[in-house]
Structure formats: structure tokens, C-alpha cells
Amino acid sequence: MPPNVSLPAGRTGPNDTGAGTLTSSIRIRLRTPARLRNLELFLLVLAGALGLGAMALGQLGMTGETDAGILWSFAILGVFVLAFHVVLRVVAPNADPFILPIVSTLNGIGIGMIYRLDLYSGTTGWASDGVRQIVWTAIAIAAAIAVVIAFRNHRVLQRYRYIAMFIGIVLLLLPLLPGIGREVNGARVWINIGVASFQPGELAKIALAVFFAGYLVTARDTLSLVGKKVLGIRFPRMRDLGPILVIWAAAMAVLVFQRDLGTSLLYFGLFLVMLYVATARVGWIILGLVLFIGGAVVASQTLGYVNGRFNAWLDAFNPAVYDSVGGSYQLVQGLFGMASGGLLGNGWGLGRPDLTPLAKSDYIFAALGEELGLAGVFAILALMLILVSRGFRIGFNGQDDFGRLLAVGLSFVIALQVFIVIGGVTRVIPLTGLTTPFLAAGGSSLLANWVIAALLLRLSDTVRNQPRVVVSP
């Protein structure tokens, strides 16, 4: 029997007198994938027009003319995105129709801003970050297409949860190895691959999400049903604390040895939220927050670079902090830039975001705020919110526990990363070295986030294909 078939009570199939209702339901079901993909195609056209417009306006604002060559380079990305759309029509016709257009829109806006900053610095051609971002986007889309084709059933990933754990640990340790590890801006999270550099921790978060989902599916009963109640909240037994202590130790190791507060918070937050979703126990959240906050406070008092981040956050406008090495200069410049944008911004290509250090990567949100204003960054945040909400919806509608946990985990990775980055730029929390998903310059982040989008698309197709029979009275 096809999925989502609605039968009158007492009818069992087309041989009964309810054959007309059954045939009508089948026709509706067959038309649904076509409607989803047609909606996706329409939104992709709008996304492509927005990205191409961002490139053209950046050129007009800086030079007064447009460069057809770079516009054609950007248009080639449209071919990759359309190829992804065609693949979804064939192998995942019921996939969510909003995910691909949203990530394409964000990616296009990011490329437009990066290229606009290239024009101001006078960097053009293959040496420019904008062209490299276009190349990395093509590679990331190709990888996402491969993921959708290769994993026709997401449950296959559950079998390899311990392999995913091993891969995740190896990726985390790679930057610490002598010879290939490289320190950038005080954080040792990069490795050298020939003439290029890569941040393996970006892919590690996907591997760890797969492992956490597979592990918690098998261990959640023990973690959720056993323990003592304190003030109405059930806390775990000491013997069950092993997983959270191991992940906490790994997060603290990233903080101490790789000198990366943001990545440490991202990994630990991912595990904590997936643990809560699996067990529905508030005690895990309280315990996890106490452990991480305690570790962060100790690190701020004993590790110089963490202490510097906290000082720059708490006393950003102090001249001594502003002028010190690793102080609050970048933070304050970004705040002034966003403030100058006001409600509607200075206009695309008309601001001075180049005055903020690392405006193409860590501080691209501040650059967008300066030129698009509060209205523009709210629109970008709305797209991020819709993307995360679609991922949560996929998880909540899933029929198997592994798929539900994986969808929630992958969606939360994006949400938490956006909060950590934008919270740091806007001085809500201490500044970290993470990048804004899909917007900031960086091939490793772009590749990892496109793979996350591909996994969510695969999960959404599986959810819609789940057999459900609804008996109407």
C-alpha cells in the first residue's frame, strides 16, 4: 500500500467500494513530490537572482561598472545548484523544498560580500578570496550531491557510529600533529594540505553528531530512567556519568591545547542537547552547564588567551584593552561598523567594512550589518531560523530514533554556531574564532555545512516516505 493513503473505515484496498477514495489519494500522493520540487525550483531562481544582484551591485558600488567574467563565474554555480535540484527530483523527490534555496541564498550573499571586499583591497583574479569561495562552493555542492546519492537510507550511518567516533577523534587531533598542524590567530585548528589549509574540526562535528545519535539510541533508557531526584529533578548515577565526562574532557582539551573556545563550546553543546533530546532529563542540562561554565571560568583565570577574550568582552572600550595585542580593537570596530549601518544600511558597496579586521571571515556579519543595516541582518537571521526550524521539524516528524536525533543534532550545530559567532560579534558572549555558516570565507566550513544540508535533505525525504495509513470514519 502506498504511503499516506487515506481509506474510509472498513475499506482495505481498491477491491472494496472505497476504490474511488483510494485512487484519489494515490493521485494526490503522486503529485506531491512534483509540487515540492517545483516550489524548490522557483525559490532557487529567486536565490540565484539575489546572489547575482549582490555581485553586480558590489561592482557598481566600487568601480561604477560590472565585470562580465566574474559574473559568469558566479553563474556557473547556478549550474551546480540546478544539478543538485535535478538529483533531488530523481533520488529524493520528497525532500524538504526550502533547505536548498535557503543555503544557496546565504552562500550567494556571502560570496557577494567577500568579492565586494576584494574589490576594495584591489585583489582580483584567482588570488582573490571571492573566486576561491566560488571554487569551494562548487566543491561543497558536488560533495553534497554525492552524499544524497550515496546514502539512500540514513539508517546505514547508525551501523558505523563507532567508526564515526574514531574519525571524529582523529580529525580533532590532526591539528596537534607536528608538521601538518598550523596555528592561525592563536588557535591551532588548521592543517596544511599541499598549498591549501583545512580545518578538520568542521567535519568532526558531523562525525560526532552521527556517533552521538547512534550511541544515545542504545543507551538512552539507562541514562533517562535511573538516578536520584534532587529538588524534583532526576540526576544520573555516578556510573552513568562516563559519557558526559569524556566529552567534557575532550572539550576542555580542545580549549587548552588547540586554544579554541568556540569549537570547545560547539562540541560540548552538541552532545548536551542531543543527550537532553534523547532522555528528556533537565538534570543533564544543569550538570553539563555547571561543568562547562566551571571549566571556562578556571580557564579564564589560568590561560592567558582565554583571559584576554574575557577582558575584551567585559571591558571592550577601555583604552588599555582596546590597544593591547589581542585586545578589543576588532570587536569595537565591528560594533562601530554595524552602528553606522543603522536601520537600512549604507547600501551594498557603499560602506567601509574593510576597516574591521577579518571582515571576510570572522566578522562578515558585521560587514553585512554595515551595508544592509538592521533590516538586512534580520532578514539573514530569519533565513537561518527557517533553516534550523526545518531541520527540527524533520527530526520531530521522524519515525526512527536515530534519524530524529541526527536531524536535531545537525540542525542544532548550525543554530549554536550562528549564536556563538553572532553573539561574539555583537558582544553578547566572548568572541570566538568560529565562522558564520554559509556566509563567511573558508572552504572547510562551507564543505561541512553543505554536507549537513545534504544529510537533512536525505532525512526529510525518508520522513515523507514513511508508510502511514490514516483510516477516516
Side-chain angles (χ1 to χ4, degrees), residues 375-417:
V377 296
F378 271 13
I380 291 172
L381 288 176
L383 288 175
M384 294 285 191
L385 181 62
I386 295 172
L387 175 62
V388 173
S389 68
R390 300 303 294 185
F392 283 158
R393 181 179 180 180
I394 293 167
F396 295 150
N397 290 337
Q399 302 298 306
D400 66 292
D401 294 333
F402 175 75
R404 296 177 66 180
L405 279 174
L406 184 59
V408 171
L410 294 174
S411 303
F412 182 77
V413 160
I414 295 177
L416 182 57
Q417 190 163 341

mmCIF file of all heavy atoms in Angstrom, residues 375-417:
data_model
loop_
_atom_site.group_PDB
_atom_site.id
_atom_site.type_symbol
_atom_site.label_atom_id
_atom_site.label_comp_id
_atom_site.label_asym_id
_atom_site.label_seq_id
_atom_site.Cartn_x
_atom_site.Cartn_y
_atom_site.Cartn_z
ATOM 1 N N ALA A 375 17.664 45.877 9.182
ATOM 2 C CA ALA A 375 16.660 45.145 8.398
ATOM 3 C C ALA A 375 17.308 44.003 7.625
ATOM 4 O O ALA A 375 16.769 42.894 7.560
ATOM 5 C CB ALA A 375 15.957 46.101 7.432
ATOM 6 N N GLY A 376 18.484 44.249 7.049
ATOM 7 C CA GLY A 376 19.162 43.211 6.277
ATOM 8 C C GLY A 376 19.632 42.049 7.134
ATOM 9 O O GLY A 376 19.453 40.883 6.761
ATOM 10 N N VAL A 377 20.254 42.357 8.287
ATOM 11 C CA VAL A 377 20.746 41.255 9.124
ATOM 12 C C VAL A 377 19.584 40.500 9.752
ATOM 13 O O VAL A 377 19.685 39.287 9.993
ATOM 14 C CB VAL A 377 21.729 41.762 10.200
ATOM 15 C CG1 VAL A 377 22.970 42.333 9.559
ATOM 16 C CG2 VAL A 377 21.089 42.759 11.138
ATOM 17 N N PHE A 378 18.463 41.174 10.010
ATOM 18 C CA PHE A 378 17.287 40.457 10.498
ATOM 19 C C PHE A 378 16.765 39.485 9.442
ATOM 20 O O PHE A 378 16.318 38.380 9.770
ATOM 21 C CB PHE A 378 16.191 41.444 10.898
ATOM 22 C CG PHE A 378 16.278 41.899 12.327
ATOM 23 C CD1 PHE A 378 17.413 41.657 13.080
ATOM 24 C CD2 PHE A 378 15.225 42.561 12.927
ATOM 25 C CE1 PHE A 378 17.516 42.070 14.400
ATOM 26 C CE2 PHE A 378 15.303 42.986 14.248
ATOM 27 C CZ PHE A 378 16.453 42.739 14.986
ATOM 28 N N ALA A 379 16.812 39.898 8.167
ATOM 29 C CA ALA A 379 16.389 39.000 7.085
ATOM 30 C C ALA A 379 17.307 37.783 7.006
ATOM 31 O O ALA A 379 16.847 36.646 6.810
ATOM 32 C CB ALA A 379 16.384 39.754 5.757
ATOM 33 N N ILE A 380 18.622 38.009 7.174
ATOM 34 C CA ILE A 380 19.571 36.892 7.155
ATOM 35 C C ILE A 380 19.323 35.967 8.337
ATOM 36 O O ILE A 380 19.311 34.735 8.192
ATOM 37 C CB ILE A 380 21.008 37.432 7.164
ATOM 38 C CG1 ILE A 380 21.310 38.129 5.840
ATOM 39 C CG2 ILE A 380 22.013 36.305 7.413
ATOM 40 C CD1 ILE A 380 22.638 38.857 5.809
ATOM 41 N N LEU A 381 19.109 36.545 9.514
ATOM 42 C CA LEU A 381 18.824 35.721 10.697
ATOM 43 C C LEU A 381 17.506 34.958 10.525
ATOM 44 O O LEU A 381 17.376 33.828 11.014
ATOM 45 C CB LEU A 381 18.764 36.597 11.944
ATOM 46 C CG LEU A 381 20.112 37.148 12.432
ATOM 47 C CD1 LEU A 381 19.906 38.083 13.622
ATOM 48 C CD2 LEU A 381 21.050 36.008 12.826
ATOM 49 N N ALA A 382 16.536 35.573 9.842
ATOM 50 C CA ALA A 382 15.272 34.871 9.593
ATOM 51 C C ALA A 382 15.499 33.649 8.711
ATOM 52 O O ALA A 382 14.902 32.579 8.937
ATOM 53 C CB ALA A 382 14.264 35.825 8.948
ATOM 54 N N LEU A 383 16.365 33.777 7.700
ATOM 55 C CA LEU A 383 16.685 32.626 6.854
ATOM 56 C C LEU A 383 17.353 31.528 7.674
ATOM 57 O O LEU A 383 17.046 30.335 7.516
ATOM 58 C CB LEU A 383 17.594 33.059 5.701
ATOM 59 C CG LEU A 383 16.960 33.903 4.597
ATOM 60 C CD1 LEU A 383 18.020 34.340 3.594
ATOM 61 C CD2 LEU A 383 15.849 33.128 3.891
ATOM 62 N N MET A 384 18.284 31.914 8.548
ATOM 63 C CA MET A 384 18.926 30.936 9.420
ATOM 64 C C MET A 384 17.892 30.250 10.318
ATOM 65 O O MET A 384 17.931 29.025 10.521
ATOM 66 C CB MET A 384 19.978 31.624 10.293
ATOM 67 C CG MET A 384 21.164 32.180 9.539
ATOM 68 S SD MET A 384 22.300 30.884 9.014
ATOM 69 C CE MET A 384 23.696 31.889 8.480
ATOM 70 N N LEU A 385 16.968 31.045 10.857
ATOM 71 C CA LEU A 385 15.944 30.497 11.744
ATOM 72 C C LEU A 385 15.049 29.510 11.011
ATOM 73 O O LEU A 385 14.714 28.438 11.547
ATOM 74 C CB LEU A 385 15.115 31.640 12.327
ATOM 75 C CG LEU A 385 14.000 31.242 13.314
ATOM 76 C CD1 LEU A 385 14.592 30.555 14.532
ATOM 77 C CD2 LEU A 385 13.200 32.470 13.730
ATOM 78 N N ILE A 386 14.662 29.848 9.778
ATOM 79 C CA ILE A 386 13.823 28.929 8.997
ATOM 80 C C ILE A 386 14.582 27.646 8.701
ATOM 81 O O ILE A 386 14.019 26.540 8.794
ATOM 82 C CB ILE A 386 13.367 29.613 7.693
ATOM 83 C CG1 ILE A 386 12.448 30.792 7.997
ATOM 84 C CG2 ILE A 386 12.648 28.611 6.792
ATOM 85 C CD1 ILE A 386 12.112 31.633 6.779
ATOM 86 N N LEU A 387 15.865 27.765 8.358
ATOM 87 C CA LEU A 387 16.676 26.582 8.078
ATOM 88 C C LEU A 387 16.738 25.660 9.287
ATOM 89 O O LEU A 387 16.532 24.438 9.170
ATOM 90 C CB LEU A 387 18.087 27.008 7.661
ATOM 91 C CG LEU A 387 19.115 25.891 7.437
ATOM 92 C CD1 LEU A 387 18.665 24.973 6.307
ATOM 93 C CD2 LEU A 387 20.490 26.478 7.131
ATOM 94 N N VAL A 388 17.004 26.228 10.457
ATOM 95 C CA VAL A 388 17.091 25.416 11.673
ATOM 96 C C VAL A 388 15.726 24.820 12.030
ATOM 97 O O VAL A 388 15.627 23.648 12.415
ATOM 98 C CB VAL A 388 17.629 26.264 12.835
ATOM 99 C CG1 VAL A 388 17.558 25.493 14.152
ATOM 100 C CG2 VAL A 388 19.078 26.681 12.567
ATOM 101 N N SER A 389 14.671 25.617 11.872
ATOM 102 C CA SER A 389 13.333 25.109 12.203
ATOM 103 C C SER A 389 12.922 23.971 11.275
ATOM 104 O O SER A 389 12.258 23.016 11.713
ATOM 105 C CB SER A 389 12.308 26.246 12.137
ATOM 106 O OG SER A 389 12.129 26.700 10.804
ATOM 107 N N ARG A 390 13.319 24.049 9.997
ATOM 108 C CA ARG A 390 13.012 22.936 9.084
ATOM 109 C C ARG A 390 13.746 21.667 9.521
ATOM 110 O O ARG A 390 13.206 20.563 9.454
ATOM 111 C CB ARG A 390 13.407 23.291 7.645
ATOM 112 C CG ARG A 390 12.727 24.501 7.057
ATOM 113 C CD ARG A 390 11.229 24.413 7.049
ATOM 114 N NE ARG A 390 10.707 23.365 6.162
ATOM 115 C CZ ARG A 390 9.421 23.175 5.921
ATOM 116 N NH1 ARG A 390 8.525 23.944 6.517
ATOM 117 N NH2 ARG A 390 9.009 22.218 5.117
ATOM 118 N N GLY A 391 14.998 21.856 9.972
ATOM 119 C CA GLY A 391 15.736 20.698 10.467
ATOM 120 C C GLY A 391 15.102 20.091 11.699
ATOM 121 O O GLY A 391 14.988 18.863 11.821
ATOM 122 N N PHE A 392 14.664 20.932 12.641
ATOM 123 C CA PHE A 392 13.986 20.420 13.838
ATOM 124 C C PHE A 392 12.681 19.718 13.469
ATOM 125 O O PHE A 392 12.321 18.695 14.050
ATOM 126 C CB PHE A 392 13.700 21.562 14.809
ATOM 127 C CG PHE A 392 14.904 22.010 15.586
ATOM 128 C CD1 PHE A 392 14.949 23.267 16.153
ATOM 129 C CD2 PHE A 392 15.996 21.183 15.761
ATOM 130 C CE1 PHE A 392 16.051 23.689 16.869
ATOM 131 C CE2 PHE A 392 17.110 21.588 16.469
ATOM 132 C CZ PHE A 392 17.134 22.840 17.035
ATOM 133 N N ARG A 393 11.981 20.277 12.502
ATOM 134 C CA ARG A 393 10.726 19.658 12.065
ATOM 135 C C ARG A 393 10.982 18.277 11.482
ATOM 136 O O ARG A 393 10.208 17.335 11.731
ATOM 137 C CB ARG A 393 10.043 20.557 11.037
ATOM 138 C CG ARG A 393 8.723 20.003 10.535
ATOM 139 C CD ARG A 393 8.079 20.941 9.535
ATOM 140 N NE ARG A 393 6.810 20.395 9.053
ATOM 141 C CZ ARG A 393 6.028 20.995 8.168
ATOM 142 N NH1 ARG A 393 6.376 22.176 7.689
ATOM 143 N NH2 ARG A 393 4.914 20.432 7.764
ATOM 144 N N ILE A 394 12.052 18.158 10.712
ATOM 145 C CA ILE A 394 12.415 16.841 10.169
ATOM 146 C C ILE A 394 12.662 15.861 11.298
ATOM 147 O O ILE A 394 12.222 14.711 11.263
ATOM 148 C CB ILE A 394 13.664 16.967 9.272
ATOM 149 C CG1 ILE A 394 13.337 17.783 8.019
ATOM 150 C CG2 ILE A 394 14.197 15.592 8.875
ATOM 151 C CD1 ILE A 394 14.565 18.224 7.236
ATOM 152 N N GLY A 395 13.383 16.315 12.336
ATOM 153 C CA GLY A 395 13.659 15.439 13.467
ATOM 154 C C GLY A 395 12.409 15.045 14.222
ATOM 155 O O GLY A 395 12.216 13.872 14.572
ATOM 156 N N PHE A 396 11.532 15.990 14.487
ATOM 157 C CA PHE A 396 10.332 15.702 15.273
ATOM 158 C C PHE A 396 9.351 14.808 14.518
ATOM 159 O O PHE A 396 8.583 14.066 15.131
ATOM 160 C CB PHE A 396 9.642 17.005 15.678
ATOM 161 C CG PHE A 396 10.472 17.860 16.603
ATOM 162 C CD1 PHE A 396 10.350 19.232 16.597
ATOM 163 C CD2 PHE A 396 11.388 17.273 17.466
ATOM 164 C CE1 PHE A 396 11.125 20.020 17.442
ATOM 165 C CE2 PHE A 396 12.167 18.039 18.319
ATOM 166 C CZ PHE A 396 12.027 19.409 18.309
ATOM 167 N N ASN A 397 9.365 14.872 13.183
ATOM 168 C CA ASN A 397 8.466 14.046 12.383
ATOM 169 C C ASN A 397 9.060 12.690 12.029
ATOM 170 O O ASN A 397 8.377 11.862 11.415
ATOM 171 C CB ASN A 397 8.094 14.765 11.082
ATOM 172 C CG ASN A 397 7.192 15.963 11.319
ATOM 173 O OD1 ASN A 397 6.501 16.032 12.338
ATOM 174 N ND2 ASN A 397 7.193 16.911 10.401
ATOM 175 N N GLY A 398 10.305 12.462 12.391
ATOM 176 C CA GLY A 398 10.951 11.195 12.048
ATOM 177 C C GLY A 398 10.316 10.006 12.746
ATOM 178 O O GLY A 398 9.782 10.118 13.853
ATOM 179 N N GLN A 399 10.393 8.842 12.101
ATOM 180 C CA GLN A 399 9.789 7.634 12.634
ATOM 181 C C GLN A 399 10.783 6.761 13.401
ATOM 182 O O GLN A 399 10.379 5.941 14.205
ATOM 183 C CB GLN A 399 9.187 6.808 11.478
ATOM 184 C CG GLN A 399 8.140 7.561 10.674
ATOM 185 C CD GLN A 399 6.948 7.963 11.504
ATOM 186 O OE1 GLN A 399 6.330 7.137 12.159
ATOM 187 N NE2 GLN A 399 6.619 9.244 11.501
ATOM 188 N N ASP A 400 12.083 6.937 13.144
ATOM 189 C CA ASP A 400 13.088 6.145 13.873
ATOM 190 C C ASP A 400 13.902 7.075 14.757
ATOM 191 O O ASP A 400 14.149 8.238 14.424
ATOM 192 C CB ASP A 400 14.005 5.405 12.893
ATOM 193 C CG ASP A 400 14.869 6.353 12.081
ATOM 194 O OD1 ASP A 400 14.310 7.092 11.250
ATOM 195 O OD2 ASP A 400 16.089 6.359 12.286
ATOM 196 N N ASP A 401 14.329 6.556 15.907
ATOM 197 C CA ASP A 401 15.007 7.378 16.910
ATOM 198 C C ASP A 401 16.355 7.908 16.413
ATOM 199 O O ASP A 401 16.733 9.038 16.717
ATOM 200 C CB ASP A 401 15.206 6.572 18.197
ATOM 201 C CG ASP A 401 13.885 6.238 18.871
ATOM 202 O OD1 ASP A 401 12.920 7.002 18.675
ATOM 203 O OD2 ASP A 401 13.808 5.217 19.576
ATOM 204 N N PHE A 402 17.081 7.090 15.656
ATOM 205 C CA PHE A 402 18.375 7.538 15.165
ATOM 206 C C PHE A 402 18.221 8.736 14.236
ATOM 207 O O PHE A 402 18.942 9.735 14.357
ATOM 208 C CB PHE A 402 19.087 6.397 14.444
ATOM 209 C CG PHE A 402 20.379 6.813 13.792
ATOM 210 C CD1 PHE A 402 21.517 7.035 14.545
ATOM 211 C CD2 PHE A 402 20.447 7.006 12.411
ATOM 212 C CE1 PHE A 402 22.710 7.437 13.949
ATOM 213 C CE2 PHE A 402 21.632 7.394 11.806
ATOM 214 C CZ PHE A 402 22.766 7.620 12.588
ATOM 215 N N GLY A 403 17.302 8.646 13.293
ATOM 216 C CA GLY A 403 17.080 9.745 12.365
ATOM 217 C C GLY A 403 16.614 11.007 13.074
ATOM 218 O O GLY A 403 17.029 12.118 12.728
ATOM 219 N N ARG A 404 15.770 10.847 14.084
ATOM 220 C CA ARG A 404 15.286 12.014 14.821
ATOM 221 C C ARG A 404 16.430 12.709 15.549
ATOM 222 O O ARG A 404 16.573 13.932 15.501
ATOM 223 C CB ARG A 404 14.207 11.587 15.808
ATOM 224 C CG ARG A 404 12.957 11.035 15.156
ATOM 225 C CD ARG A 404 11.944 10.560 16.170
ATOM 226 N NE ARG A 404 11.426 11.680 16.962
ATOM 227 C CZ ARG A 404 10.533 11.538 17.924
ATOM 228 N NH1 ARG A 404 10.095 10.325 18.237
ATOM 229 N NH2 ARG A 404 10.093 12.582 18.581
ATOM 230 N N LEU A 405 17.250 11.932 16.223
ATOM 231 C CA LEU A 405 18.372 12.511 16.957
ATOM 232 C C LEU A 405 19.383 13.153 16.011
ATOM 233 O O LEU A 405 19.924 14.236 16.287
ATOM 234 C CB LEU A 405 19.058 11.438 17.801
ATOM 235 C CG LEU A 405 18.409 11.087 19.137
ATOM 236 C CD1 LEU A 405 19.128 9.913 19.781
ATOM 237 C CD2 LEU A 405 18.421 12.287 20.076
ATOM 238 N N LEU A 406 19.646 12.498 14.891
ATOM 239 C CA LEU A 406 20.624 13.030 13.942
ATOM 240 C C LEU A 406 20.136 14.348 13.346
ATOM 241 O O LEU A 406 20.915 15.314 13.231
ATOM 242 C CB LEU A 406 20.883 12.009 12.837
ATOM 243 C CG LEU A 406 21.951 12.391 11.810
ATOM 244 C CD1 LEU A 406 23.298 12.630 12.487
ATOM 245 C CD2 LEU A 406 22.078 11.299 10.741
ATOM 246 N N ALA A 407 18.872 14.423 12.970
ATOM 247 C CA ALA A 407 18.343 15.664 12.391
ATOM 248 C C ALA A 407 18.391 16.804 13.400
ATOM 249 O O ALA A 407 18.781 17.928 13.060
ATOM 250 C CB ALA A 407 16.909 15.442 11.908
ATOM 251 N N VAL A 408 17.996 16.523 14.640
ATOM 252 C CA VAL A 408 18.041 17.562 15.672
ATOM 253 C C VAL A 408 19.477 17.983 15.934
ATOM 254 O O VAL A 408 19.787 19.176 16.075
ATOM 255 C CB VAL A 408 17.366 17.061 16.965
ATOM 256 C CG1 VAL A 408 17.611 18.036 18.111
ATOM 257 C CG2 VAL A 408 15.875 16.883 16.749
ATOM 258 N N GLY A 409 20.404 17.022 16.003
ATOM 259 C CA GLY A 409 21.798 17.337 16.262
ATOM 260 C C GLY A 409 22.417 18.194 15.171
ATOM 261 O O GLY A 409 23.080 19.199 15.445
ATOM 262 N N LEU A 410 22.199 17.819 13.910
ATOM 263 C CA LEU A 410 22.765 18.584 12.797
ATOM 264 C C LEU A 410 22.170 19.992 12.733
ATOM 265 O O LEU A 410 22.884 20.965 12.449
ATOM 266 C CB LEU A 410 22.518 17.848 11.481
ATOM 267 C CG LEU A 410 23.237 16.506 11.311
ATOM 268 C CD1 LEU A 410 22.783 15.826 10.030
ATOM 269 C CD2 LEU A 410 24.750 16.695 11.309
ATOM 270 N N SER A 411 20.870 20.104 12.997
ATOM 271 C CA SER A 411 20.239 21.432 12.981
ATOM 272 C C SER A 411 20.760 22.283 14.126
ATOM 273 O O SER A 411 21.007 23.493 13.953
ATOM 274 C CB SER A 411 18.717 21.280 13.094
ATOM 275 O OG SER A 411 18.211 20.462 12.071
ATOM 276 N N PHE A 412 20.944 21.658 15.290
ATOM 277 C CA PHE A 412 21.430 22.425 16.436
ATOM 278 C C PHE A 412 22.874 22.882 16.233
ATOM 279 O O PHE A 412 23.252 23.948 16.733
ATOM 280 C CB PHE A 412 21.325 21.584 17.712
ATOM 281 C CG PHE A 412 21.757 22.335 18.938
ATOM 282 C CD1 PHE A 412 20.930 23.278 19.514
ATOM 283 C CD2 PHE A 412 23.000 22.097 19.508
ATOM 284 C CE1 PHE A 412 21.323 23.988 20.639
ATOM 285 C CE2 PHE A 412 23.399 22.797 20.632
ATOM 286 C CZ PHE A 412 22.564 23.749 21.205
ATOM 287 N N VAL A 413 23.674 22.114 15.507
ATOM 288 C CA VAL A 413 25.043 22.536 15.207
ATOM 289 C C VAL A 413 25.024 23.888 14.491
ATOM 290 O O VAL A 413 25.795 24.806 14.823
ATOM 291 C CB VAL A 413 25.764 21.475 14.355
ATOM 292 C CG1 VAL A 413 26.952 22.080 13.635
ATOM 293 C CG2 VAL A 413 26.251 20.341 15.235
ATOM 294 N N ILE A 414 24.152 24.007 13.497
ATOM 295 C CA ILE A 414 24.059 25.280 12.769
ATOM 296 C C ILE A 414 23.565 26.387 13.693
ATOM 297 O O ILE A 414 24.109 27.498 13.715
ATOM 298 C CB ILE A 414 23.133 25.125 11.559
ATOM 299 C CG1 ILE A 414 23.731 24.131 10.550
ATOM 300 C CG2 ILE A 414 22.883 26.471 10.884
ATOM 301 C CD1 ILE A 414 22.853 23.858 9.343
ATOM 302 N N ALA A 415 22.515 26.093 14.480
ATOM 303 C CA ALA A 415 21.955 27.107 15.375
ATOM 304 C C ALA A 415 22.978 27.577 16.395
ATOM 305 O O ALA A 415 23.139 28.791 16.627
ATOM 306 C CB ALA A 415 20.718 26.549 16.081
ATOM 307 N N LEU A 416 23.676 26.635 17.020
ATOM 308 C CA LEU A 416 24.648 27.004 18.050
ATOM 309 C C LEU A 416 25.822 27.770 17.445
ATOM 310 O O LEU A 416 26.324 28.732 18.043
ATOM 311 C CB LEU A 416 25.141 25.752 18.774
ATOM 312 C CG LEU A 416 26.128 25.977 19.927
ATOM 313 C CD1 LEU A 416 25.517 26.896 20.978
ATOM 314 C CD2 LEU A 416 26.551 24.658 20.554
ATOM 315 N N GLN A 417 26.267 27.371 16.257
ATOM 316 C CA GLN A 417 27.379 28.069 15.623
ATOM 317 C C GLN A 417 26.989 29.503 15.281
ATOM 318 O O GLN A 417 27.791 30.429 15.465
ATOM 319 C CB GLN A 417 27.827 27.319 14.370
ATOM 320 C CG GLN A 417 29.130 27.838 13.780
ATOM 321 C CD GLN A 417 29.774 26.850 12.822
ATOM 322 O OE1 GLN A 417 29.475 25.665 12.843
ATOM 323 N NE2 GLN A 417 30.663 27.341 11.988
#
